[in-house]
Amino acid sequence: MRAVQLTAWESEPEIREVPVPRPGAGELLLRVDAAGLCHSDLHVMSCAPGTLPYDLPMTLGHEIAGTVVEVGDGVAASWLGRLAVVHGVWSCGTCHNCRRGQENHCLRLEGRVGFGLGRPGGLAEYVLVPAERQLVAADGMAATELAPLADAALTAHHAIRLHRDAIEGGTVLVIGAGGLGHLAVQILKQTTEAHTVAVDTRPAALEAAREHGAHTTGTTVADAVDQLESPLVDVVLDFVGADSTLSAGGAALAPGGRLIMVGGGGGSMTVAKGRDLPLGWHVNAPFWGPRQDLEAVVELARNGQIHADIEVVRFSDTLEAYQRLREGDVRGRIVVVPD
C-alpha cells in the first residue's frame, strides 16, 4: 500500500510503498476513508534528530476515519464493515489514569503518543488499530466529516469541558480561529452560554468565526476586547501558543481568569504570584483528549450542531497540501481521501 512517511528529521515526508499490516489478537484493520492534516505534523517534520523518541520511517496522520475490514482473534466480528473514527492516543487501558477516563494521560505512553505521533498513522490505505477501545462507531456519517473530529474537535472540546465552570456565563477569548479554533467557537455556542470573542489575523477566519457563532471578533486581542463592555475576559483559549498570543491573552484576563494554552506555537511565559497575571490566575495546557470527548463531538456532529470547514484533497496531492498548510493557505481543515 502507499503511505505518507517521514523518513528523516527536519525534512519533508515522502509517499512510499509499504506492506499492508495484518491484525493480530485484539487488533483491527481499518481501511482509511479520510485523514486530516494538522499543524502537529509540521512540528514533527521540523524536529531535530533526538527531539522526539520516534523511530523513522514513520507514517504520518492522526485524524483518521475509516471502515473496519479485518479483525484479529478476540475482536467482535460485528465490527466488520462499520465506519468509525479513531481515538488517536495509544493508551494501555489499564493504568490508573486510563481507568478513570484519562486515556490521554496514560502512564505507559513513554513519549510515543499514538497514530502518526510515534506509531504508524493513517495517511495510508490501511491502518492497524491496536484495540476496539480506539474506535468510536459512526455509522451513517461521512468519513470526511469525521476525520477532523479526531483531533481538532476533540482537543477543543476537551479544553472547554475542563474549564466549563469558568466558561459558563462568562466571556471567552478564542485566539486563532483556524482548524481548532473554528470548532471551539461552535462547541462554545452549542454547549455553553458564554460570550465568545474570536481573534485571528486572517479576515476569512474571522468571517468563519462570525458564521459559527462568535459574538465579537478582531484582528488583535486589544482590538477585540476594546469592543467589550469590560475589556477583560474570564477564559482565554489560545490555539496559537506563541509568545505574543500568550502575552496578549494574559493581559486580557480578569481576576480569577484562566489562560488555556492549546496551540503548540513554541511560546512560553513566566507565571508567579505578584507579577503580570491577575489575582487568582490559572494557567493550563491540556493535551489532546480522552475517548469521552471524542464520543461527545461525534454526537454533536451527528446532530448537526458542529461541522468542520474542510477542503478535500486526493492522497496523491498530500505533500502539496502540507506545503499549503505550512504557508497558512488553508481555511479550516484539509482532509485527504483515497485517489
Side-chain angles (χ1 to χ4, degrees), residues 154-187:
L154 164 61
T155 301
H157 190 277
H158 179 228
I160 291 167
R161 178 176 62 82
L162 288 179
H163 300 281
R164 192 175 302 279
D165 60 322
I167 288 172
E168 196 61 59
T171 301
V172 180
L173 174 63
V174 175
I175 301 180
L180 277 71
H182 86 287
L183 282 159
V185 169
Q186 296 176 60
I187 294 167

PDB file of all heavy atoms in Angstrom, residues 154-187:
ATOM      1  N   LEU A 154     -11.966  17.172  19.025  1.00  0.00           N
ATOM      2  CA  LEU A 154     -11.698  16.504  20.305  1.00  0.00           C
ATOM      3  C   LEU A 154     -10.891  17.396  21.237  1.00  0.00           C
ATOM      4  O   LEU A 154     -11.233  17.578  22.418  1.00  0.00           O
ATOM      5  CB  LEU A 154     -10.961  15.192  20.042  1.00  0.00           C
ATOM      6  CG  LEU A 154     -10.244  14.505  21.210  1.00  0.00           C
ATOM      7  CD1 LEU A 154     -11.220  14.133  22.299  1.00  0.00           C
ATOM      8  CD2 LEU A 154      -9.499  13.273  20.722  1.00  0.00           C
ATOM      9  N   THR A 155      -9.818  17.972  20.727  1.00  0.00           N
ATOM     10  CA  THR A 155      -8.939  18.812  21.548  1.00  0.00           C
ATOM     11  C   THR A 155      -9.670  20.057  22.038  1.00  0.00           C
ATOM     12  O   THR A 155      -9.546  20.454  23.208  1.00  0.00           O
ATOM     13  CB  THR A 155      -7.692  19.198  20.748  1.00  0.00           C
ATOM     14  OG1 THR A 155      -6.998  18.004  20.353  1.00  0.00           O
ATOM     15  CG2 THR A 155      -6.758  20.071  21.563  1.00  0.00           C
ATOM     16  N   ALA A 156     -10.449  20.682  21.145  1.00  0.00           N
ATOM     17  CA  ALA A 156     -11.197  21.871  21.539  1.00  0.00           C
ATOM     18  C   ALA A 156     -12.246  21.533  22.595  1.00  0.00           C
ATOM     19  O   ALA A 156     -12.396  22.248  23.594  1.00  0.00           O
ATOM     20  CB  ALA A 156     -11.864  22.500  20.312  1.00  0.00           C
ATOM     21  N   HIS A 157     -12.958  20.440  22.407  1.00  0.00           N
ATOM     22  CA  HIS A 157     -13.999  20.046  23.361  1.00  0.00           C
ATOM     23  C   HIS A 157     -13.398  19.730  24.725  1.00  0.00           C
ATOM     24  O   HIS A 157     -13.942  20.113  25.769  1.00  0.00           O
ATOM     25  CB  HIS A 157     -14.763  18.836  22.829  1.00  0.00           C
ATOM     26  CG  HIS A 157     -15.991  18.494  23.616  1.00  0.00           C
ATOM     27  ND1 HIS A 157     -15.937  17.746  24.779  1.00  0.00           N
ATOM     28  CD2 HIS A 157     -17.295  18.814  23.433  1.00  0.00           C
ATOM     29  CE1 HIS A 157     -17.164  17.609  25.258  1.00  0.00           C
ATOM     30  NE2 HIS A 157     -17.998  18.246  24.460  1.00  0.00           N
ATOM     31  N   HIS A 158     -12.268  19.034  24.721  1.00  0.00           N
ATOM     32  CA  HIS A 158     -11.600  18.691  25.973  1.00  0.00           C
ATOM     33  C   HIS A 158     -11.213  19.950  26.747  1.00  0.00           C
ATOM     34  O   HIS A 158     -11.460  20.064  27.954  1.00  0.00           O
ATOM     35  CB  HIS A 158     -10.363  17.847  25.667  1.00  0.00           C
ATOM     36  CG  HIS A 158      -9.581  17.450  26.866  1.00  0.00           C
ATOM     37  ND1 HIS A 158      -8.201  17.596  26.930  1.00  0.00           N
ATOM     38  CD2 HIS A 158      -9.947  16.916  28.047  1.00  0.00           C
ATOM     39  CE1 HIS A 158      -7.775  17.164  28.102  1.00  0.00           C
ATOM     40  NE2 HIS A 158      -8.812  16.747  28.798  1.00  0.00           N
ATOM     41  N   ALA A 159     -10.615  20.921  26.052  1.00  0.00           N
ATOM     42  CA  ALA A 159     -10.196  22.162  26.714  1.00  0.00           C
ATOM     43  C   ALA A 159     -11.396  22.909  27.286  1.00  0.00           C
ATOM     44  O   ALA A 159     -11.331  23.461  28.396  1.00  0.00           O
ATOM     45  CB  ALA A 159      -9.440  23.046  25.724  1.00  0.00           C
ATOM     46  N   ILE A 160     -12.486  22.914  26.554  1.00  0.00           N
ATOM     47  CA  ILE A 160     -13.683  23.606  27.023  1.00  0.00           C
ATOM     48  C   ILE A 160     -14.312  22.863  28.200  1.00  0.00           C
ATOM     49  O   ILE A 160     -14.703  23.477  29.208  1.00  0.00           O
ATOM     50  CB  ILE A 160     -14.686  23.765  25.863  1.00  0.00           C
ATOM     51  CG1 ILE A 160     -14.135  24.770  24.836  1.00  0.00           C
ATOM     52  CG2 ILE A 160     -16.060  24.199  26.372  1.00  0.00           C
ATOM     53  CD1 ILE A 160     -14.872  24.782  23.519  1.00  0.00           C
ATOM     54  N   ARG A 161     -14.411  21.549  28.106  1.00  0.00           N
ATOM     55  CA  ARG A 161     -15.033  20.770  29.185  1.00  0.00           C
ATOM     56  C   ARG A 161     -14.270  20.922  30.499  1.00  0.00           C
ATOM     57  O   ARG A 161     -14.876  21.050  31.565  1.00  0.00           O
ATOM     58  CB  ARG A 161     -15.105  19.291  28.792  1.00  0.00           C
ATOM     59  CG  ARG A 161     -15.706  18.396  29.878  1.00  0.00           C
ATOM     60  CD  ARG A 161     -15.847  16.970  29.417  1.00  0.00           C
ATOM     61  NE  ARG A 161     -14.590  16.334  29.092  1.00  0.00           N
ATOM     62  CZ  ARG A 161     -13.762  15.793  29.988  1.00  0.00           C
ATOM     63  NH1 ARG A 161     -14.046  15.839  31.279  1.00  0.00           N
ATOM     64  NH2 ARG A 161     -12.642  15.207  29.595  1.00  0.00           N
ATOM     65  N   LEU A 162     -12.941  20.916  30.434  1.00  0.00           N
ATOM     66  CA  LEU A 162     -12.138  21.033  31.647  1.00  0.00           C
ATOM     67  C   LEU A 162     -12.410  22.338  32.396  1.00  0.00           C
ATOM     68  O   LEU A 162     -12.250  22.394  33.621  1.00  0.00           O
ATOM     69  CB  LEU A 162     -10.651  20.944  31.303  1.00  0.00           C
ATOM     70  CG  LEU A 162     -10.107  19.577  30.882  1.00  0.00           C
ATOM     71  CD1 LEU A 162      -8.627  19.700  30.560  1.00  0.00           C
ATOM     72  CD2 LEU A 162     -10.331  18.543  31.973  1.00  0.00           C
ATOM     73  N   HIS A 163     -12.810  23.379  31.676  1.00  0.00           N
ATOM     74  CA  HIS A 163     -12.955  24.700  32.293  1.00  0.00           C
ATOM     75  C   HIS A 163     -14.377  25.243  32.142  1.00  0.00           C
ATOM     76  O   HIS A 163     -14.580  26.454  32.178  1.00  0.00           O
ATOM     77  CB  HIS A 163     -11.931  25.656  31.678  1.00  0.00           C
ATOM     78  CG  HIS A 163     -10.525  25.192  31.876  1.00  0.00           C
ATOM     79  ND1 HIS A 163      -9.862  25.358  33.066  1.00  0.00           N
ATOM     80  CD2 HIS A 163      -9.683  24.499  31.053  1.00  0.00           C
ATOM     81  CE1 HIS A 163      -8.648  24.806  32.969  1.00  0.00           C
ATOM     82  NE2 HIS A 163      -8.522  24.281  31.763  1.00  0.00           N
ATOM     83  N   ARG A 164     -15.322  24.334  32.031  1.00  0.00           N
ATOM     84  CA  ARG A 164     -16.711  24.752  31.829  1.00  0.00           C
ATOM     85  C   ARG A 164     -17.225  25.615  32.981  1.00  0.00           C
ATOM     86  O   ARG A 164     -18.031  26.525  32.786  1.00  0.00           O
ATOM     87  CB  ARG A 164     -17.605  23.524  31.640  1.00  0.00           C
ATOM     88  CG  ARG A 164     -19.000  23.869  31.143  1.00  0.00           C
ATOM     89  CD  ARG A 164     -19.799  22.619  30.846  1.00  0.00           C
ATOM     90  NE  ARG A 164     -19.161  21.775  29.865  1.00  0.00           N
ATOM     91  CZ  ARG A 164     -19.230  21.969  28.547  1.00  0.00           C
ATOM     92  NH1 ARG A 164     -19.920  23.008  28.090  1.00  0.00           N
ATOM     93  NH2 ARG A 164     -18.637  21.160  27.707  1.00  0.00           N
ATOM     94  N   ASP A 165     -16.765  25.353  34.196  1.00  0.00           N
ATOM     95  CA  ASP A 165     -17.259  26.135  35.341  1.00  0.00           C
ATOM     96  C   ASP A 165     -16.887  27.606  35.211  1.00  0.00           C
ATOM     97  O   ASP A 165     -17.655  28.487  35.613  1.00  0.00           O
ATOM     98  CB  ASP A 165     -16.715  25.561  36.651  1.00  0.00           C
ATOM     99  CG  ASP A 165     -15.200  25.569  36.719  1.00  0.00           C
ATOM    100  OD1 ASP A 165     -14.547  25.309  35.692  1.00  0.00           O
ATOM    101  OD2 ASP A 165     -14.655  25.837  37.814  1.00  0.00           O
ATOM    102  N   ALA A 166     -15.717  27.896  34.640  1.00  0.00           N
ATOM    103  CA  ALA A 166     -15.303  29.293  34.454  1.00  0.00           C
ATOM    104  C   ALA A 166     -15.878  29.886  33.174  1.00  0.00           C
ATOM    105  O   ALA A 166     -16.072  31.098  33.073  1.00  0.00           O
ATOM    106  CB  ALA A 166     -13.781  29.381  34.426  1.00  0.00           C
ATOM    107  N   ILE A 167     -16.173  29.020  32.193  1.00  0.00           N
ATOM    108  CA  ILE A 167     -16.677  29.483  30.900  1.00  0.00           C
ATOM    109  C   ILE A 167     -18.151  29.848  30.970  1.00  0.00           C
ATOM    110  O   ILE A 167     -18.588  30.854  30.411  1.00  0.00           O
ATOM    111  CB  ILE A 167     -16.452  28.388  29.832  1.00  0.00           C
ATOM    112  CG1 ILE A 167     -14.961  28.283  29.492  1.00  0.00           C
ATOM    113  CG2 ILE A 167     -17.275  28.667  28.575  1.00  0.00           C
ATOM    114  CD1 ILE A 167     -14.614  27.100  28.601  1.00  0.00           C
ATOM    115  N   GLU A 168     -18.932  29.023  31.657  1.00  0.00           N
ATOM    116  CA  GLU A 168     -20.390  29.186  31.661  1.00  0.00           C
ATOM    117  C   GLU A 168     -20.804  30.577  32.144  1.00  0.00           C
ATOM    118  O   GLU A 168     -20.489  30.986  33.253  1.00  0.00           O
ATOM    119  CB  GLU A 168     -21.024  28.116  32.545  1.00  0.00           C
ATOM    120  CG  GLU A 168     -22.517  27.958  32.316  1.00  0.00           C
ATOM    121  CD  GLU A 168     -22.848  27.550  30.898  1.00  0.00           C
ATOM    122  OE1 GLU A 168     -22.377  26.491  30.443  1.00  0.00           O
ATOM    123  OE2 GLU A 168     -23.583  28.317  30.245  1.00  0.00           O
ATOM    124  N   GLY A 169     -21.486  31.292  31.259  1.00  0.00           N
ATOM    125  CA  GLY A 169     -21.969  32.623  31.612  1.00  0.00           C
ATOM    126  C   GLY A 169     -20.916  33.701  31.580  1.00  0.00           C
ATOM    127  O   GLY A 169     -21.207  34.863  31.908  1.00  0.00           O
ATOM    128  N   GLY A 170     -19.689  33.365  31.183  1.00  0.00           N
ATOM    129  CA  GLY A 170     -18.607  34.335  31.159  1.00  0.00           C
ATOM    130  C   GLY A 170     -18.240  34.758  29.752  1.00  0.00           C
ATOM    131  O   GLY A 170     -18.952  34.492  28.780  1.00  0.00           O
ATOM    132  N   THR A 171     -17.099  35.420  29.652  1.00  0.00           N
ATOM    133  CA  THR A 171     -16.567  35.856  28.359  1.00  0.00           C
ATOM    134  C   THR A 171     -15.328  35.035  28.038  1.00  0.00           C
ATOM    135  O   THR A 171     -14.412  34.937  28.858  1.00  0.00           O
ATOM    136  CB  THR A 171     -16.198  37.349  28.385  1.00  0.00           C
ATOM    137  OG1 THR A 171     -17.366  38.108  28.703  1.00  0.00           O
ATOM    138  CG2 THR A 171     -15.660  37.810  27.042  1.00  0.00           C
ATOM    139  N   VAL A 172     -15.322  34.435  26.839  1.00  0.00           N
ATOM    140  CA  VAL A 172     -14.234  33.553  26.428  1.00  0.00           C
ATOM    141  C   VAL A 172     -13.557  34.137  25.208  1.00  0.00           C
ATOM    142  O   VAL A 172     -14.214  34.470  24.208  1.00  0.00           O
ATOM    143  CB  VAL A 172     -14.756  32.140  26.106  1.00  0.00           C
ATOM    144  CG1 VAL A 172     -13.612  31.238  25.677  1.00  0.00           C
ATOM    145  CG2 VAL A 172     -15.475  31.554  27.312  1.00  0.00           C
ATOM    146  N   LEU A 173     -12.244  34.264  25.285  1.00  0.00           N
ATOM    147  CA  LEU A 173     -11.441  34.763  24.177  1.00  0.00           C
ATOM    148  C   LEU A 173     -10.796  33.581  23.461  1.00  0.00           C
ATOM    149  O   LEU A 173     -10.018  32.833  24.064  1.00  0.00           O
ATOM    150  CB  LEU A 173     -10.365  35.716  24.706  1.00  0.00           C
ATOM    151  CG  LEU A 173      -9.331  36.243  23.713  1.00  0.00           C
ATOM    152  CD1 LEU A 173      -9.999  37.076  22.631  1.00  0.00           C
ATOM    153  CD2 LEU A 173      -8.270  37.069  24.444  1.00  0.00           C
ATOM    154  N   VAL A 174     -11.142  33.405  22.187  1.00  0.00           N
ATOM    155  CA  VAL A 174     -10.568  32.352  21.358  1.00  0.00           C
ATOM    156  C   VAL A 174      -9.513  32.981  20.465  1.00  0.00           C
ATOM    157  O   VAL A 174      -9.834  33.774  19.574  1.00  0.00           O
ATOM    158  CB  VAL A 174     -11.648  31.660  20.502  1.00  0.00           C
ATOM    159  CG1 VAL A 174     -11.017  30.643  19.558  1.00  0.00           C
ATOM    160  CG2 VAL A 174     -12.683  30.982  21.394  1.00  0.00           C
ATOM    161  N   ILE A 175      -8.252  32.666  20.713  1.00  0.00           N
ATOM    162  CA  ILE A 175      -7.159  33.207  19.897  1.00  0.00           C
ATOM    163  C   ILE A 175      -6.781  32.159  18.850  1.00  0.00           C
ATOM    164  O   ILE A 175      -6.325  31.062  19.179  1.00  0.00           O
ATOM    165  CB  ILE A 175      -5.936  33.551  20.763  1.00  0.00           C
ATOM    166  CG1 ILE A 175      -6.313  34.579  21.831  1.00  0.00           C
ATOM    167  CG2 ILE A 175      -4.805  34.086  19.891  1.00  0.00           C
ATOM    168  CD1 ILE A 175      -5.152  34.970  22.747  1.00  0.00           C
ATOM    169  N   GLY A 176      -6.988  32.509  17.594  1.00  0.00           N
ATOM    170  CA  GLY A 176      -6.743  31.582  16.493  1.00  0.00           C
ATOM    171  C   GLY A 176      -8.033  30.884  16.105  1.00  0.00           C
ATOM    172  O   GLY A 176      -8.480  29.978  16.807  1.00  0.00           O
ATOM    173  N   ALA A 177      -8.637  31.300  15.003  1.00  0.00           N
ATOM    174  CA  ALA A 177      -9.930  30.754  14.583  1.00  0.00           C
ATOM    175  C   ALA A 177      -9.777  29.802  13.409  1.00  0.00           C
ATOM    176  O   ALA A 177     -10.652  29.688  12.561  1.00  0.00           O
ATOM    177  CB  ALA A 177     -10.890  31.889  14.221  1.00  0.00           C
ATOM    178  N   GLY A 178      -8.658  29.079  13.380  1.00  0.00           N
ATOM    179  CA  GLY A 178      -8.384  28.149  12.293  1.00  0.00           C
ATOM    180  C   GLY A 178      -8.931  26.766  12.543  1.00  0.00           C
ATOM    181  O   GLY A 178     -10.073  26.591  12.982  1.00  0.00           O
ATOM    182  N   GLY A 179      -8.090  25.738  12.295  1.00  0.00           N
ATOM    183  CA  GLY A 179      -8.544  24.358  12.354  1.00  0.00           C
ATOM    184  C   GLY A 179      -9.221  23.976  13.646  1.00  0.00           C
ATOM    185  O   GLY A 179     -10.298  23.374  13.655  1.00  0.00           O
ATOM    186  N   LEU A 180      -8.610  24.299  14.795  1.00  0.00           N
ATOM    187  CA  LEU A 180      -9.212  24.003  16.093  1.00  0.00           C
ATOM    188  C   LEU A 180     -10.143  25.118  16.552  1.00  0.00           C
ATOM    189  O   LEU A 180     -11.221  24.857  17.090  1.00  0.00           O
ATOM    190  CB  LEU A 180      -8.131  23.764  17.149  1.00  0.00           C
ATOM    191  CG  LEU A 180      -7.515  22.364  17.217  1.00  0.00           C
ATOM    192  CD1 LEU A 180      -6.631  22.083  16.018  1.00  0.00           C
ATOM    193  CD2 LEU A 180      -6.739  22.181  18.503  1.00  0.00           C
ATOM    194  N   GLY A 181      -9.729  26.352  16.319  1.00  0.00           N
ATOM    195  CA  GLY A 181     -10.480  27.480  16.837  1.00  0.00           C
ATOM    196  C   GLY A 181     -11.882  27.595  16.278  1.00  0.00           C
ATOM    197  O   GLY A 181     -12.823  27.938  16.999  1.00  0.00           O
ATOM    198  N   HIS A 182     -12.067  27.313  14.987  1.00  0.00           N
ATOM    199  CA  HIS A 182     -13.411  27.465  14.415  1.00  0.00           C
ATOM    200  C   HIS A 182     -14.357  26.408  14.966  1.00  0.00           C
ATOM    201  O   HIS A 182     -15.568  26.639  15.065  1.00  0.00           O
ATOM    202  CB  HIS A 182     -13.354  27.435  12.879  1.00  0.00           C
ATOM    203  CG  HIS A 182     -13.400  26.085  12.239  1.00  0.00           C
ATOM    204  ND1 HIS A 182     -12.328  25.205  12.275  1.00  0.00           N
ATOM    205  CD2 HIS A 182     -14.377  25.449  11.544  1.00  0.00           C
ATOM    206  CE1 HIS A 182     -12.658  24.103  11.613  1.00  0.00           C
ATOM    207  NE2 HIS A 182     -13.902  24.226  11.169  1.00  0.00           N
ATOM    208  N   LEU A 183     -13.806  25.263  15.382  1.00  0.00           N
ATOM    209  CA  LEU A 183     -14.641  24.251  16.033  1.00  0.00           C
ATOM    210  C   LEU A 183     -14.904  24.625  17.490  1.00  0.00           C
ATOM    211  O   LEU A 183     -15.988  24.379  18.019  1.00  0.00           O
ATOM    212  CB  LEU A 183     -13.981  22.884  15.925  1.00  0.00           C
ATOM    213  CG  LEU A 183     -14.139  22.239  14.545  1.00  0.00           C
ATOM    214  CD1 LEU A 183     -13.084  21.160  14.311  1.00  0.00           C
ATOM    215  CD2 LEU A 183     -15.537  21.664  14.373  1.00  0.00           C
ATOM    216  N   ALA A 184     -13.922  25.235  18.141  1.00  0.00           N
ATOM    217  CA  ALA A 184     -14.129  25.698  19.517  1.00  0.00           C
ATOM    218  C   ALA A 184     -15.261  26.714  19.580  1.00  0.00           C
ATOM    219  O   ALA A 184     -16.089  26.679  20.506  1.00  0.00           O
ATOM    220  CB  ALA A 184     -12.843  26.304  20.067  1.00  0.00           C
ATOM    221  N   VAL A 185     -15.327  27.623  18.614  1.00  0.00           N
ATOM    222  CA  VAL A 185     -16.401  28.615  18.584  1.00  0.00           C
ATOM    223  C   VAL A 185     -17.755  27.912  18.500  1.00  0.00           C
ATOM    224  O   VAL A 185     -18.713  28.272  19.201  1.00  0.00           O
ATOM    225  CB  VAL A 185     -16.207  29.584  17.396  1.00  0.00           C
ATOM    226  CG1 VAL A 185     -17.449  30.440  17.191  1.00  0.00           C
ATOM    227  CG2 VAL A 185     -14.990  30.475  17.633  1.00  0.00           C
ATOM    228  N   GLN A 186     -17.846  26.878  17.673  1.00  0.00           N
ATOM    229  CA  GLN A 186     -19.104  26.143  17.529  1.00  0.00           C
ATOM    230  C   GLN A 186     -19.464  25.390  18.809  1.00  0.00           C
ATOM    231  O   GLN A 186     -20.628  25.365  19.232  1.00  0.00           O
ATOM    232  CB  GLN A 186     -19.006  25.162  16.373  1.00  0.00           C
ATOM    233  CG  GLN A 186     -18.817  25.816  15.022  1.00  0.00           C
ATOM    234  CD  GLN A 186     -18.637  24.796  13.921  1.00  0.00           C
ATOM    235  OE1 GLN A 186     -19.503  23.966  13.678  1.00  0.00           O
ATOM    236  NE2 GLN A 186     -17.493  24.839  13.238  1.00  0.00           N
ATOM    237  N   ILE A 187     -18.475  24.762  19.421  1.00  0.00           N
ATOM    238  CA  ILE A 187     -18.727  23.999  20.647  1.00  0.00           C
ATOM    239  C   ILE A 187     -19.167  24.931  21.770  1.00  0.00           C
ATOM    240  O   ILE A 187     -20.081  24.607  22.542  1.00  0.00           O
ATOM    241  CB  ILE A 187     -17.474  23.194  21.033  1.00  0.00           C
ATOM    242  CG1 ILE A 187     -17.200  22.120  19.981  1.00  0.00           C
ATOM    243  CG2 ILE A 187     -17.642  22.553  22.416  1.00  0.00           C
ATOM    244  CD1 ILE A 187     -15.822  21.481  20.083  1.00  0.00           C
TER     245      ILE A 187
END
